[in-house]
Amino acid sequence: MSNQYQKRLNDFIQHLEKQQVDLAIVNSPKNVFYYTGFQSEPYERFMALVIDLRNQKNYLFVPALDQEAAEESSFVKEIIPISDELNPYKVLKDTIGEGVQSIGLETKNTSLFQQEQLRYFFPDFSYQNIGDFITFQRMRKSPEECRKVQHAVQVIEKVLKEGITRIKDGTTELDLVAELEYLMRKFGADGPSFSTTVLSGEKSSLPHGSPNRKKLNHGDFLLIDMGVIVDGYCSDITRTFVMGEETAEQRRIYDIVREATKEGILAAKAGVSAGSVDIAARNVIQTNGYGQYFNNRVGHGLGIEVHEEPSIHEKNELTLEPGFLFTIEPGIYIPGYGGVRIEENVYIGEDGKAEVLTTFPTELIKIGY
């Protein structure tokens, strides 16, 4: 991994040199992890990878309580601990010194307060956004990164396979969430990659609904959307089941979504636009008369974060390239009736073809009763 971190930093530094940046501050925890291998959530405390291009030095500023962990896991070895009573921006100034003219910032992750602090200690600086280049780098996953996502997929599919066997009469949505998240830890995950979604019956029409004490009843659609983090990388899978026997309408809706997912995967390859993947899946749903019930994008990037670039929506003209890794997850959501989503994780390999990382069956599975 050390060679990979070095290459990432070298490519990033070359970009910063072209932009004539004196100092770069990477303060998104996930981006700090991407460049250093050190993973932590600092909450309100200051944590940043700081690249001083004038002196060709790299620093990792961390809360003092994270010093030991950073020294053990960070590729960048110049660790600057900051105690809680200190102003971190003064520590930054004391470390870097005078004369900083241009600072590269992740503008999406830099608050007005942080800008004010930087302006106080570096009064003459101008800034450039470095976030777009970092996004550009992170979109192109190495085969090693793909293997990490694949591992996270294997864990979550094991959780799903075991979890649905634990449903019994009287099980509620929250009961099933608890079972699934217990299994995540049992099978080796660091934790869920997002809040586990279990929705049943008419609630399954809410793409981002919240589980509650509703019981899983005969005839319900059961939508499960979940993922795990393993070694810093995420999985994200959705499957929809039916409790007992499905109706003809439920079967029709399910089969349409399954076909849409298939068509999205077939459209995914290097050289085509991200939008074309969305359109291929969306056309199946629209042609079958359910277009009004699918009003969100068909997928999103997946990696260190569960939602990252590229965004797979019909207007996105970005060309897919080898190394892109994303979800394809069309759905039909009918208010007051219910919904179906099937979500696959897809990687564009070096040969330009789409490799489906998820393997859990997409055939309609009937549970219980």
Side-chain angles (χ1 to χ4, degrees), residues 118-186:
L118 288 169
R119 185 66 64 191
Y120 180 83
F121 289 102
F122 302 96
D124 299 322
F125 87 91
S126 60
Y127 72 88
Q128 297 185 44
N129 177 32
I130 58 175
D132 290 345
F133 182 82
I134 297 172
T135 297
F136 171 87
Q137 277 191 284
R138 281 183 49 185
M139 269 198 297
R140 291 149 180 83
K141 308 304 193 284
S142 67
E144 183 174 353
E145 288 183 284
C146 178
R147 286 191 289 272
K148 286 180 177 289
V149 173
Q150 179 76 78
H151 184 201
V153 168
Q154 291 167 350
V155 171
I156 199 60
E157 292 190 331
K158 190 175 179 182
V159 170
L160 185 55
K161 182 180 179 180
E162 174 69 20
I164 60 175
T165 69
R166 301 198 174 193
I167 297 171
K168 56 184 183 294
D169 188 37
T171 297
T172 70
E173 293 173 346
L174 284 175
D175 290 337
L176 185 53
V177 168
E179 290 281 0
L180 294 169
E181 295 194 348
Y182 163 73
L183 291 169
M184 291 178 191
R185 299 285 189 176
K186 179 180 178 181

Side-chain angles (χ1 to χ4, degrees), residues 27-136:
N27 66 335
S28 160
K30 296 299 185 182
N31 289 337
V32 169
F33 170 69
Y34 180 72
Y35 289 114
T36 72
F38 173 63
Q39 184 159 232
S40 179
E41 175 49 67
Y43 301 104
E44 78 282 3
R45 296 180 173 95
F46 181 85
M47 182 179 78
L49 167 66
V50 175
I51 299 173
D52 183 353
L53 287 99
R54 302 167 307 160
N55 298 304
Q56 297 184 332
K57 287 189 174 182
N58 304 326
Y59 304 92
L60 180 58
F61 289 77
V62 298
L65 53 80
D66 282 333
Q67 180 179 358
E68 182 179 358
E71 288 173 344
E72 289 179 358
S73 61
S74 174
F75 173 73
V76 172
K77 295 304 182 184
E78 191 72 34
I79 310 295
I80 310 296
I82 304 174
S83 300
D84 286 345
E85 74 277 7
L86 298 178
N87 183 319
Y89 298 91
K90 184 178 186 304
V91 175
L92 176 64
K93 173 66 176 296
D94 291 344
T95 304
I96 300 302
E98 304 284 347
V100 174
Q101 298 294 316
S102 176
I103 300 180
L105 298 174
E106 295 183 79
T107 55
K108 283 186 177 180
N109 202 58
T110 303
S111 68
L112 180 57
F113 171 78
Q114 292 167 330
Q115 291 182 56
E116 290 171 343
Q117 290 291 303
L118 288 169
R119 185 66 64 191
Y120 180 83
F121 289 102
F122 302 96
D124 299 322
F125 87 91
S126 60
Y127 72 88
Q128 297 185 44
N129 177 32
I130 58 175
D132 290 345
F133 182 82
I134 297 172
T135 297
F136 171 87

Side-chain angles (χ1 to χ4, degrees), residues 246-314:
E246 78 278 16
T247 66
E249 181 67 5
Q250 284 176 319
R251 168 62 71 174
R252 172 172 162 75
I253 291 169
Y254 189 92
D255 287 347
I256 292 168
V257 173
R258 189 179 182 215
E259 180 66 20
T261 308
K262 177 183 174 183
E263 289 301 315
I265 292 168
L266 289 174
K269 57 187 175 182
V272 306
S273 70
S276 67
V277 177
D278 180 291
I279 291 167
R282 189 175 302 278
N283 281 347
V284 174
I285 294 173
Q286 290 177 336
T287 300
N288 283 279
Y290 290 89
Q292 65 178 309
Y293 301 117
F294 180 39
N295 56 10
N296 56 291
R297 66 185 178 182
V298 86
H300 56 81
L302 181 69
I304 292 172
E305 293 176 279
V306 75
H307 278 199
E308 53 185 60
E309 295 295 329
S311 180
I312 311 297
H313 63 78
E314 60 185 325

Side-chain angles (χ1 to χ4, degrees), residues 223-240:
L223 187 153
I224 301 175
D225 184 359
M226 61 182 178
V228 289
I229 302 173
V230 184
D231 296 331
Y233 283 79
C234 300
S235 56
D236 183 5
I237 186 172
T238 307
R239 291 293 186 267
T240 306

